[in-house]
Amino acid sequence: QVQLVESGGGLVQAGGSLRLSCAASGRTFSGHAMGWFRQAPGKERELVATSSWSGGITYYSDSVKGRFTISRDNARNTVYLQMNSLKPEDTAVYYCARSRGSWATNPYEYDYWGQGTQVTVSS
């Protein structure tokens, strides 16, 4: 079993920054991509950023590209999402997830999910 626990969310003013953490335990993630997703009230869950534990490929949604950075600390089995220049439209519950395959951008291709952490950006 794989367990993912997010932390680092909170309330921040527009233009501010937050760093989300995703602590992973269980099976190794070799061959699996890790992703950050978000879901705002009344909207579908969407991919924010994804990367592979083994490999340098990353992907960012157009709405966050240039502002958010996904990174990892293999020694701590932790994935991070550094969020800068936050906008009110970034307000959502943010989820960490592991993909079923080596690469995926569809949320339904991810098989393990954290509980989520709330990010609220005020204007």
Side-chain angles (χ1 to χ4, degrees):
Q1 298 293 326
V2 175
Q3 184 177 24
L4 306 174
V5 180
E6 304 97 335
S7 62
L11 175 64
V12 64
Q13 293 182 343
S17 298
L18 285 174
R19 188 193 191 195
L20 305 183
S21 298
C22 173
S25 62
R27 303 204 311 267
T28 63
F29 292 165
S30 179
H32 297 274
M34 296 292 295
W36 283 98
F37 294 79
R38 67 186 182 186
Q39 187 167 22
K43 298 183 64 177
E44 295 182 358
R45 183 170 46 190
E46 64 177 354
L47 175 68
V48 176
T50 189
S51 70
S52 176
W53 283 104
S54 300
I57 190 167
T58 59
Y59 173 85
Y60 298 92
S61 67
D62 290 339
S63 62
V64 308
K65 191 174 184 179
R67 299 187 296 121
F68 291 9
T69 303
I70 187 170
S71 61
R72 71 193 83 92
D73 184 341
N74 290 332
R76 294 181 178 271
N77 291 323
T78 302
V79 180
Y80 303 96
L81 184 68
Q82 179 66 47
M83 305 185 294
N84 299 324
S85 301
L86 284 163
K87 305 174 181 179
E89 64 197 74
D90 296 318
T91 296
V93 177
Y94 284 71
Y95 298 91
C96 176
R98 190 204 78 168
S99 69
R100 288 196 291 267
S102 60
W103 181 259
T105 56
N106 189 319
Y108 292 99
E109 295 298 320
Y110 286 75
D111 55 357
Y112 289 96
W113 295 81
Q115 294 175 312
T117 184
Q118 176 71 48
V119 172
T120 302
V121 184
S122 62
S123 60

